[in-house]
Amino acid sequence: MIKTSLCGALCAAYIILPAATFAQTTVGAGIVAVPQFEGSSDYSWMAVPSVSFSNDQISLRTVGPGVELDLLSSRAVDVGPILRYNFGRDGASIDNVQVSALPDIAAGVEFGGYAQVNFPVGGFKTFLSPRVSAVQGVQGGASGTQFEASLGLLRLQGDWTFGAQAATTYADGQYMNTNFGVGAGSPSGLAAFNAGAGIKDAGLSLFANYKINDRVSLTGVAGYSVLMGDAASSPIVSVAGRKEQMFLNLGVGFSF
């Protein structure tokens, strides 16, 4: 099943819109194509809901399989908690025979926080947004800590909004070995491997939103990332998968 970290890194490009000066709620639905596990060369399609709410004090939005809350009313700075669901790794839903024979990783919950600064560039139609975040597995099979640093660029152009984001993720040894380690004598046939802490991936995502009218908008997000360090060296990736990972999300939103 899909991994939260990939989706989190590539979905975040479209959350750098400045806060609304009035209450607005948007609900939506879309389809997403993601790797079946981190490092997979096989992809799965699934339907995903989305929700966002903002006013002149706080904002709440779904980002991938999680929720972020912005506790500041300032348009210049976003700070708040992150709560997200990690789908783990379920061999029954993985096409690759070797990886499906590895022990399952139970789904679980990750909790953390983020901080982001939004700088207007050349007026108030373009924003540059550096961001840092950290999440810790707190329940179920979600384990270890991940730190992400990214730089986003957003451009408002009439009924269109365009964005891009470059991001990289560091993961501790517990996270890396849970997701990329292979035990000795594994029935998968993959060689034993202990994955250590380090830079896990780096990627780029592109975003476009078209406002059909005051109520309806269409959104597309496409991303590409490369696994690095021990994540890329793991036989789960180097033998049974691939280090290049892609992501695609197409959706529609309704505002009121």
Side-chain angles (χ1 to χ4, degrees), residues 77-94:
V77 181
D78 299 331
V79 175
I82 299 171
L83 181 66
R84 69 189 189 192
Y85 186 73
N86 187 315
F87 286 93
R89 187 176 66 209
D90 179 10
S93 64
I94 293 174

Side-chain angles (χ1 to χ4, degrees), residues 162-234:
F162 300 99
Q165 183 195 54
T168 186
T169 308
Y170 173 93
D172 70 1
Q174 184 179 9
Y175 180 92
M176 293 287 282
N177 208 42
T178 297
N179 292 277
F180 300 103
V182 180
S186 170
S188 66
L190 297 173
F193 184 81
N194 290 317
I199 299 296
K200 179 174 70 77
D201 59 36
L204 176 68
S205 57
L206 302 175
F207 157 80
N209 174 272
Y210 178 67
K211 184 179 178 182
I212 297 176
N213 54 45
D214 290 340
R215 299 288 186 183
V216 183
S217 62
L218 300 176
T219 300
V221 184
Y224 173 85
S225 70
V226 179
L227 293 170
M228 306 172 71
D230 278 4
S233 299
S234 167

Side-chain angles (χ1 to χ4, degrees), residues 45-60:
W45 287 90
M46 61 187 301
V48 291
S50 63
V51 177
S52 68
F53 169 81
S54 61
N55 58 25
D56 58 358
Q57 295 181 328
I58 64 170
S59 65
L60 176 74

Side-chain angles (χ1 to χ4, degrees), residues 105-126:
I105 301 173
V109 174
E110 297 171 328
F111 180 76
Y114 75 98
Q116 177 174 303
V117 182
N118 306 308
F119 299 101
V121 180
F124 287 91
K125 290 186 177 295
T126 305

